[in-house]
Amino acid sequence: MTDKTLSTLHRLTATIESRKGGNPNESYVAKLFDRGPDYAARKLGEEAVETVVAALAGSDEELVGEAADVIFHLAVVLASRDLTLADALAELDRREGVSGIVEKASRTPE
């Protein structure tokens, strides 16, 4: 990742944190938090489906836009649990160099 990309992720995280407890009539992020983590998670799911649709039948621009929406909503869902995109990136770092098949097999079945 470039420094610019990391800076974008840091700014996004900071913006989301700054909107916690804000006025839901003035901030979409505050509205997501106000409606609770279940609502934020459903919004993430909607954006994920829209991303799949764009990947299958949309333009590159549509796919990129939907991917950005997924990243944004993922950051909100993580923040609703006091986690950040940095936590998810740290997990990717931990998995680096490990076969995806091996990594999945190592997970404890639920």
Side-chain angles (χ1 to χ4, degrees), residues 68-100:
D69 289 345
V70 166
I71 293 167
F72 167 80
H73 284 87
L74 174 60
V76 172
V77 168
L78 288 166
S80 75
R81 301 274 303 265
D82 294 322
L83 299 166
T84 67
L85 289 170
D87 296 311
L89 293 173
E91 176 61 13
L92 289 175
D93 287 342
R94 185 191 69 76
R95 295 179 186 182
E96 188 174 355
V98 177
S99 160

PDB file of all heavy atoms in Angstrom, residues 68-100:
ATOM      1  N   ALA A  68     -15.679   1.231  -2.923  1.00  0.00           N
ATOM      2  CA  ALA A  68     -15.443   2.311  -1.957  1.00  0.00           C
ATOM      3  C   ALA A  68     -16.549   2.332  -0.903  1.00  0.00           C
ATOM      4  O   ALA A  68     -16.273   2.519   0.291  1.00  0.00           O
ATOM      5  CB  ALA A  68     -15.362   3.657  -2.675  1.00  0.00           C
ATOM      6  N   ASP A  69     -17.790   2.105  -1.335  1.00  0.00           N
ATOM      7  CA  ASP A  69     -18.903   2.064  -0.379  1.00  0.00           C
ATOM      8  C   ASP A  69     -18.736   0.913   0.610  1.00  0.00           C
ATOM      9  O   ASP A  69     -19.022   1.060   1.802  1.00  0.00           O
ATOM     10  CB  ASP A  69     -20.243   1.911  -1.109  1.00  0.00           C
ATOM     11  CG  ASP A  69     -20.649   3.158  -1.872  1.00  0.00           C
ATOM     12  OD1 ASP A  69     -20.064   4.236  -1.634  1.00  0.00           O
ATOM     13  OD2 ASP A  69     -21.562   3.048  -2.715  1.00  0.00           O
ATOM     14  N   VAL A  70     -18.267  -0.235   0.134  1.00  0.00           N
ATOM     15  CA  VAL A  70     -18.041  -1.389   1.017  1.00  0.00           C
ATOM     16  C   VAL A  70     -16.975  -1.048   2.056  1.00  0.00           C
ATOM     17  O   VAL A  70     -17.141  -1.317   3.251  1.00  0.00           O
ATOM     18  CB  VAL A  70     -17.655  -2.653   0.228  1.00  0.00           C
ATOM     19  CG1 VAL A  70     -17.090  -3.736   1.133  1.00  0.00           C
ATOM     20  CG2 VAL A  70     -18.856  -3.186  -0.533  1.00  0.00           C
ATOM     21  N   ILE A  71     -15.873  -0.463   1.603  1.00  0.00           N
ATOM     22  CA  ILE A  71     -14.791  -0.107   2.536  1.00  0.00           C
ATOM     23  C   ILE A  71     -15.299   0.877   3.581  1.00  0.00           C
ATOM     24  O   ILE A  71     -15.050   0.717   4.777  1.00  0.00           O
ATOM     25  CB  ILE A  71     -13.569   0.443   1.772  1.00  0.00           C
ATOM     26  CG1 ILE A  71     -12.945  -0.672   0.927  1.00  0.00           C
ATOM     27  CG2 ILE A  71     -12.546   1.047   2.737  1.00  0.00           C
ATOM     28  CD1 ILE A  71     -11.938  -0.180  -0.097  1.00  0.00           C
ATOM     29  N   PHE A  72     -16.045   1.885   3.137  1.00  0.00           N
ATOM     30  CA  PHE A  72     -16.604   2.875   4.065  1.00  0.00           C
ATOM     31  C   PHE A  72     -17.510   2.202   5.089  1.00  0.00           C
ATOM     32  O   PHE A  72     -17.352   2.407   6.308  1.00  0.00           O
ATOM     33  CB  PHE A  72     -17.375   3.942   3.289  1.00  0.00           C
ATOM     34  CG  PHE A  72     -18.225   4.805   4.167  1.00  0.00           C
ATOM     35  CD1 PHE A  72     -17.663   5.850   4.875  1.00  0.00           C
ATOM     36  CD2 PHE A  72     -19.579   4.559   4.303  1.00  0.00           C
ATOM     37  CE1 PHE A  72     -18.437   6.637   5.722  1.00  0.00           C
ATOM     38  CE2 PHE A  72     -20.364   5.344   5.134  1.00  0.00           C
ATOM     39  CZ  PHE A  72     -19.791   6.381   5.843  1.00  0.00           C
ATOM     40  N   HIS A  73     -18.464   1.413   4.625  1.00  0.00           N
ATOM     41  CA  HIS A  73     -19.410   0.785   5.548  1.00  0.00           C
ATOM     42  C   HIS A  73     -18.726  -0.250   6.444  1.00  0.00           C
ATOM     43  O   HIS A  73     -19.115  -0.417   7.602  1.00  0.00           O
ATOM     44  CB  HIS A  73     -20.603   0.195   4.783  1.00  0.00           C
ATOM     45  CG  HIS A  73     -21.562   1.245   4.332  1.00  0.00           C
ATOM     46  ND1 HIS A  73     -21.414   1.910   3.140  1.00  0.00           N
ATOM     47  CD2 HIS A  73     -22.656   1.768   4.928  1.00  0.00           C
ATOM     48  CE1 HIS A  73     -22.385   2.793   3.020  1.00  0.00           C
ATOM     49  NE2 HIS A  73     -23.159   2.729   4.097  1.00  0.00           N
ATOM     50  N   LEU A  74     -17.708  -0.923   5.928  1.00  0.00           N
ATOM     51  CA  LEU A  74     -16.935  -1.842   6.765  1.00  0.00           C
ATOM     52  C   LEU A  74     -16.262  -1.068   7.898  1.00  0.00           C
ATOM     53  O   LEU A  74     -16.261  -1.504   9.048  1.00  0.00           O
ATOM     54  CB  LEU A  74     -15.895  -2.588   5.936  1.00  0.00           C
ATOM     55  CG  LEU A  74     -14.917  -3.480   6.709  1.00  0.00           C
ATOM     56  CD1 LEU A  74     -15.669  -4.574   7.479  1.00  0.00           C
ATOM     57  CD2 LEU A  74     -13.902  -4.086   5.758  1.00  0.00           C
ATOM     58  N   ALA A  75     -15.701   0.086   7.574  1.00  0.00           N
ATOM     59  CA  ALA A  75     -15.048   0.907   8.599  1.00  0.00           C
ATOM     60  C   ALA A  75     -16.048   1.333   9.671  1.00  0.00           C
ATOM     61  O   ALA A  75     -15.721   1.350  10.863  1.00  0.00           O
ATOM     62  CB  ALA A  75     -14.384   2.126   7.957  1.00  0.00           C
ATOM     63  N   VAL A  76     -17.278   1.648   9.274  1.00  0.00           N
ATOM     64  CA  VAL A  76     -18.303   2.025  10.245  1.00  0.00           C
ATOM     65  C   VAL A  76     -18.667   0.834  11.128  1.00  0.00           C
ATOM     66  O   VAL A  76     -18.765   0.964  12.355  1.00  0.00           O
ATOM     67  CB  VAL A  76     -19.555   2.595   9.537  1.00  0.00           C
ATOM     68  CG1 VAL A  76     -20.696   2.798  10.529  1.00  0.00           C
ATOM     69  CG2 VAL A  76     -19.229   3.909   8.839  1.00  0.00           C
ATOM     70  N   VAL A  77     -18.855  -0.336  10.514  1.00  0.00           N
ATOM     71  CA  VAL A  77     -19.198  -1.531  11.296  1.00  0.00           C
ATOM     72  C   VAL A  77     -18.077  -1.851  12.284  1.00  0.00           C
ATOM     73  O   VAL A  77     -18.338  -2.136  13.462  1.00  0.00           O
ATOM     74  CB  VAL A  77     -19.505  -2.733  10.376  1.00  0.00           C
ATOM     75  CG1 VAL A  77     -19.570  -4.033  11.155  1.00  0.00           C
ATOM     76  CG2 VAL A  77     -20.806  -2.497   9.617  1.00  0.00           C
ATOM     77  N   LEU A  78     -16.843  -1.787  11.837  1.00  0.00           N
ATOM     78  CA  LEU A  78     -15.724  -2.032  12.745  1.00  0.00           C
ATOM     79  C   LEU A  78     -15.733  -1.021  13.886  1.00  0.00           C
ATOM     80  O   LEU A  78     -15.569  -1.385  15.054  1.00  0.00           O
ATOM     81  CB  LEU A  78     -14.396  -1.979  11.984  1.00  0.00           C
ATOM     82  CG  LEU A  78     -14.115  -3.156  11.056  1.00  0.00           C
ATOM     83  CD1 LEU A  78     -12.952  -2.831  10.120  1.00  0.00           C
ATOM     84  CD2 LEU A  78     -13.823  -4.420  11.842  1.00  0.00           C
ATOM     85  N   ALA A  79     -15.947   0.245  13.561  1.00  0.00           N
ATOM     86  CA  ALA A  79     -15.962   1.297  14.586  1.00  0.00           C
ATOM     87  C   ALA A  79     -17.094   1.084  15.588  1.00  0.00           C
ATOM     88  O   ALA A  79     -16.951   1.420  16.765  1.00  0.00           O
ATOM     89  CB  ALA A  79     -16.080   2.673  13.936  1.00  0.00           C
ATOM     90  N   SER A  80     -18.193   0.495  15.126  1.00  0.00           N
ATOM     91  CA  SER A  80     -19.304   0.245  16.046  1.00  0.00           C
ATOM     92  C   SER A  80     -18.932  -0.793  17.100  1.00  0.00           C
ATOM     93  O   SER A  80     -19.583  -0.896  18.138  1.00  0.00           O
ATOM     94  CB  SER A  80     -20.557  -0.204  15.283  1.00  0.00           C
ATOM     95  OG  SER A  80     -20.446  -1.539  14.840  1.00  0.00           O
ATOM     96  N   ARG A  81     -17.852  -1.535  16.837  1.00  0.00           N
ATOM     97  CA  ARG A  81     -17.334  -2.518  17.801  1.00  0.00           C
ATOM     98  C   ARG A  81     -15.999  -2.064  18.384  1.00  0.00           C
ATOM     99  O   ARG A  81     -15.244  -2.853  18.926  1.00  0.00           O
ATOM    100  CB  ARG A  81     -17.156  -3.869  17.099  1.00  0.00           C
ATOM    101  CG  ARG A  81     -18.429  -4.454  16.485  1.00  0.00           C
ATOM    102  CD  ARG A  81     -19.257  -5.250  17.469  1.00  0.00           C
ATOM    103  NE  ARG A  81     -18.512  -6.325  18.058  1.00  0.00           N
ATOM    104  CZ  ARG A  81     -18.515  -7.584  17.609  1.00  0.00           C
ATOM    105  NH1 ARG A  81     -19.232  -7.922  16.574  1.00  0.00           N
ATOM    106  NH2 ARG A  81     -17.800  -8.499  18.226  1.00  0.00           N
ATOM    107  N   ASP A  82     -15.688  -0.768  18.222  1.00  0.00           N
ATOM    108  CA  ASP A  82     -14.425  -0.178  18.700  1.00  0.00           C
ATOM    109  C   ASP A  82     -13.206  -0.839  18.061  1.00  0.00           C
ATOM    110  O   ASP A  82     -12.167  -1.018  18.705  1.00  0.00           O
ATOM    111  CB  ASP A  82     -14.335  -0.206  20.229  1.00  0.00           C
ATOM    112  CG  ASP A  82     -15.374   0.701  20.862  1.00  0.00           C
ATOM    113  OD1 ASP A  82     -15.623   1.794  20.305  1.00  0.00           O
ATOM    114  OD2 ASP A  82     -15.943   0.330  21.903  1.00  0.00           O
ATOM    115  N   LEU A  83     -13.345  -1.185  16.795  1.00  0.00           N
ATOM    116  CA  LEU A  83     -12.245  -1.716  15.988  1.00  0.00           C
ATOM    117  C   LEU A  83     -12.026  -0.775  14.816  1.00  0.00           C
ATOM    118  O   LEU A  83     -12.845   0.118  14.569  1.00  0.00           O
ATOM    119  CB  LEU A  83     -12.593  -3.128  15.486  1.00  0.00           C
ATOM    120  CG  LEU A  83     -12.830  -4.176  16.564  1.00  0.00           C
ATOM    121  CD1 LEU A  83     -13.484  -5.413  15.969  1.00  0.00           C
ATOM    122  CD2 LEU A  83     -11.516  -4.528  17.248  1.00  0.00           C
ATOM    123  N   THR A  84     -10.918  -0.973  14.094  1.00  0.00           N
ATOM    124  CA  THR A  84     -10.620  -0.109  12.950  1.00  0.00           C
ATOM    125  C   THR A  84     -10.168  -0.933  11.752  1.00  0.00           C
ATOM    126  O   THR A  84      -9.880  -2.129  11.874  1.00  0.00           O
ATOM    127  CB  THR A  84      -9.498   0.897  13.290  1.00  0.00           C
ATOM    128  OG1 THR A  84      -8.277   0.162  13.485  1.00  0.00           O
ATOM    129  CG2 THR A  84      -9.817   1.729  14.514  1.00  0.00           C
ATOM    130  N   LEU A  85     -10.076  -0.251  10.628  1.00  0.00           N
ATOM    131  CA  LEU A  85      -9.517  -0.897   9.440  1.00  0.00           C
ATOM    132  C   LEU A  85      -8.090  -1.360   9.713  1.00  0.00           C
ATOM    133  O   LEU A  85      -7.664  -2.384   9.179  1.00  0.00           O
ATOM    134  CB  LEU A  85      -9.542   0.067   8.255  1.00  0.00           C
ATOM    135  CG  LEU A  85     -10.919   0.367   7.674  1.00  0.00           C
ATOM    136  CD1 LEU A  85     -10.842   1.520   6.686  1.00  0.00           C
ATOM    137  CD2 LEU A  85     -11.508  -0.865   7.011  1.00  0.00           C
ATOM    138  N   ALA A  86      -7.366  -0.655  10.583  1.00  0.00           N
ATOM    139  CA  ALA A  86      -6.003  -1.063  10.933  1.00  0.00           C
ATOM    140  C   ALA A  86      -5.999  -2.443  11.579  1.00  0.00           C
ATOM    141  O   ALA A  86      -5.081  -3.236  11.361  1.00  0.00           O
ATOM    142  CB  ALA A  86      -5.349  -0.034  11.852  1.00  0.00           C
ATOM    143  N   ASP A  87      -7.030  -2.746  12.358  1.00  0.00           N
ATOM    144  CA  ASP A  87      -7.129  -4.079  12.961  1.00  0.00           C
ATOM    145  C   ASP A  87      -7.295  -5.147  11.879  1.00  0.00           C
ATOM    146  O   ASP A  87      -6.674  -6.210  11.946  1.00  0.00           O
ATOM    147  CB  ASP A  87      -8.305  -4.137  13.943  1.00  0.00           C
ATOM    148  CG  ASP A  87      -8.114  -3.214  15.127  1.00  0.00           C
ATOM    149  OD1 ASP A  87      -7.030  -3.245  15.748  1.00  0.00           O
ATOM    150  OD2 ASP A  87      -9.051  -2.460  15.432  1.00  0.00           O
ATOM    151  N   ALA A  88      -8.126  -4.863  10.890  1.00  0.00           N
ATOM    152  CA  ALA A  88      -8.310  -5.821   9.790  1.00  0.00           C
ATOM    153  C   ALA A  88      -7.030  -5.957   8.967  1.00  0.00           C
ATOM    154  O   ALA A  88      -6.659  -7.061   8.558  1.00  0.00           O
ATOM    155  CB  ALA A  88      -9.476  -5.382   8.901  1.00  0.00           C
ATOM    156  N   LEU A  89      -6.343  -4.843   8.747  1.00  0.00           N
ATOM    157  CA  LEU A  89      -5.087  -4.899   7.997  1.00  0.00           C
ATOM    158  C   LEU A  89      -4.021  -5.672   8.770  1.00  0.00           C
ATOM    159  O   LEU A  89      -3.224  -6.404   8.169  1.00  0.00           O
ATOM    160  CB  LEU A  89      -4.603  -3.487   7.666  1.00  0.00           C
ATOM    161  CG  LEU A  89      -5.488  -2.715   6.686  1.00  0.00           C
ATOM    162  CD1 LEU A  89      -5.005  -1.277   6.569  1.00  0.00           C
ATOM    163  CD2 LEU A  89      -5.548  -3.391   5.332  1.00  0.00           C
ATOM    164  N   ALA A  90      -4.013  -5.529  10.091  1.00  0.00           N
ATOM    165  CA  ALA A  90      -3.059  -6.289  10.915  1.00  0.00           C
ATOM    166  C   ALA A  90      -3.322  -7.787  10.776  1.00  0.00           C
ATOM    167  O   ALA A  90      -2.374  -8.594  10.749  1.00  0.00           O
ATOM    168  CB  ALA A  90      -3.147  -5.859  12.376  1.00  0.00           C
ATOM    169  N   GLU A  91      -4.590  -8.165  10.685  1.00  0.00           N
ATOM    170  CA  GLU A  91      -4.921  -9.578  10.484  1.00  0.00           C
ATOM    171  C   GLU A  91      -4.427 -10.059   9.123  1.00  0.00           C
ATOM    172  O   GLU A  91      -3.905 -11.170   8.994  1.00  0.00           O
ATOM    173  CB  GLU A  91      -6.426  -9.804  10.627  1.00  0.00           C
ATOM    174  CG  GLU A  91      -6.883 -11.220  10.342  1.00  0.00           C
ATOM    175  CD  GLU A  91      -6.297 -12.288  11.259  1.00  0.00           C
ATOM    176  OE1 GLU A  91      -5.702 -11.956  12.312  1.00  0.00           O
ATOM    177  OE2 GLU A  91      -6.419 -13.486  10.915  1.00  0.00           O
ATOM    178  N   LEU A  92      -4.564  -9.217   8.103  1.00  0.00           N
ATOM    179  CA  LEU A  92      -4.021  -9.585   6.785  1.00  0.00           C
ATOM    180  C   LEU A  92      -2.502  -9.730   6.848  1.00  0.00           C
ATOM    181  O   LEU A  92      -1.947 -10.652   6.244  1.00  0.00           O
ATOM    182  CB  LEU A  92      -4.418  -8.542   5.735  1.00  0.00           C
ATOM    183  CG  LEU A  92      -5.878  -8.529   5.326  1.00  0.00           C
ATOM    184  CD1 LEU A  92      -6.147  -7.366   4.374  1.00  0.00           C
ATOM    185  CD2 LEU A  92      -6.293  -9.843   4.692  1.00  0.00           C
ATOM    186  N   ASP A  93      -1.853  -8.839   7.584  1.00  0.00           N
ATOM    187  CA  ASP A  93      -0.401  -8.958   7.772  1.00  0.00           C
ATOM    188  C   ASP A  93      -0.053 -10.289   8.423  1.00  0.00           C
ATOM    189  O   ASP A  93       0.900 -10.959   8.031  1.00  0.00           O
ATOM    190  CB  ASP A  93       0.140  -7.809   8.635  1.00  0.00           C
ATOM    191  CG  ASP A  93       0.188  -6.483   7.909  1.00  0.00           C
ATOM    192  OD1 ASP A  93       0.137  -6.469   6.661  1.00  0.00           O
ATOM    193  OD2 ASP A  93       0.261  -5.450   8.603  1.00  0.00           O
ATOM    194  N   ARG A  94      -0.833 -10.670   9.430  1.00  0.00           N
ATOM    195  CA  ARG A  94      -0.586 -11.928  10.139  1.00  0.00           C
ATOM    196  C   ARG A  94      -0.712 -13.122   9.189  1.00  0.00           C
ATOM    197  O   ARG A  94       0.051 -14.073   9.272  1.00  0.00           O
ATOM    198  CB  ARG A  94      -1.570 -12.088  11.293  1.00  0.00           C
ATOM    199  CG  ARG A  94      -1.312 -13.328  12.167  1.00  0.00           C
ATOM    200  CD  ARG A  94      -2.444 -13.610  13.127  1.00  0.00           C
ATOM    201  NE  ARG A  94      -3.669 -14.047  12.485  1.00  0.00           N
ATOM    202  CZ  ARG A  94      -3.878 -15.283  11.994  1.00  0.00           C
ATOM    203  NH1 ARG A  94      -2.929 -16.195  12.043  1.00  0.00           N
ATOM    204  NH2 ARG A  94      -5.039 -15.594  11.437  1.00  0.00           N
ATOM    205  N   ARG A  95      -1.639 -13.026   8.271  1.00  0.00           N
ATOM    206  CA  ARG A  95      -1.890 -14.130   7.343  1.00  0.00           C
ATOM    207  C   ARG A  95      -0.927 -14.164   6.155  1.00  0.00           C
ATOM    208  O   ARG A  95      -0.893 -15.153   5.430  1.00  0.00           O
ATOM    209  CB  ARG A  95      -3.303 -14.035   6.781  1.00  0.00           C
ATOM    210  CG  ARG A  95      -4.374 -14.211   7.802  1.00  0.00           C
ATOM    211  CD  ARG A  95      -5.715 -14.084   7.140  1.00  0.00           C
ATOM    212  NE  ARG A  95      -6.805 -14.102   8.101  1.00  0.00           N
ATOM    213  CZ  ARG A  95      -8.074 -14.037   7.754  1.00  0.00           C
ATOM    214  NH1 ARG A  95      -8.411 -13.965   6.480  1.00  0.00           N
ATOM    215  NH2 ARG A  95      -9.002 -14.049   8.684  1.00  0.00           N
ATOM    216  N   GLU A  96      -0.175 -13.101   5.957  1.00  0.00           N
ATOM    217  CA  GLU A  96       0.703 -13.019   4.795  1.00  0.00           C
ATOM    218  C   GLU A  96       1.669 -14.193   4.759  1.00  0.00           C
ATOM    219  O   GLU A  96       2.276 -14.551   5.765  1.00  0.00           O
ATOM    220  CB  GLU A  96       1.495 -11.708   4.811  1.00  0.00           C
ATOM    221  CG  GLU A  96       2.286 -11.484   3.541  1.00  0.00           C
ATOM    222  CD  GLU A  96       2.951 -10.126   3.506  1.00  0.00           C
ATOM    223  OE1 GLU A  96       2.718  -9.314   4.422  1.00  0.00           O
ATOM    224  OE2 GLU A  96       3.705  -9.899   2.572  1.00  0.00           O
ATOM    225  N   GLY A  97       1.780 -14.806   3.604  1.00  0.00           N
ATOM    226  CA  GLY A  97       2.698 -15.918   3.424  1.00  0.00           C
ATOM    227  C   GLY A  97       2.115 -17.264   3.825  1.00  0.00           C
ATOM    228  O   GLY A  97       2.782 -18.287   3.708  1.00  0.00           O
ATOM    229  N   VAL A  98       0.871 -17.256   4.295  1.00  0.00           N
ATOM    230  CA  VAL A  98       0.207 -18.500   4.675  1.00  0.00           C
ATOM    231  C   VAL A  98      -0.803 -18.831   3.589  1.00  0.00           C
ATOM    232  O   VAL A  98      -1.598 -17.975   3.189  1.00  0.00           O
ATOM    233  CB  VAL A  98      -0.526 -18.351   6.038  1.00  0.00           C
ATOM    234  CG1 VAL A  98      -1.283 -19.607   6.393  1.00  0.00           C
ATOM    235  CG2 VAL A  98       0.450 -17.968   7.131  1.00  0.00           C
ATOM    236  N   SER A  99      -0.777 -20.046   3.121  1.00  0.00           N
ATOM    237  CA  SER A  99      -1.739 -20.477   2.111  1.00  0.00           C
ATOM    238  C   SER A  99      -3.154 -20.236   2.617  1.00  0.00           C
ATOM    239  O   SER A  99      -3.472 -20.516   3.782  1.00  0.00           O
ATOM    240  CB  SER A  99      -1.545 -21.970   1.832  1.00  0.00           C
ATOM    241  OG  SER A  99      -2.698 -22.530   1.245  1.00  0.00           O
ATOM    242  N   GLY A 100      -4.013 -19.728   1.749  1.00  0.00           N
ATOM    243  CA  GLY A 100      -5.403 -19.521   2.114  1.00  0.00           C
ATOM    244  C   GLY A 100      -6.086 -20.807   2.532  1.00  0.00           C
ATOM    245  O   GLY A 100      -6.918 -20.818   3.442  1.00  0.00           O
TER     246      GLY A 100
END
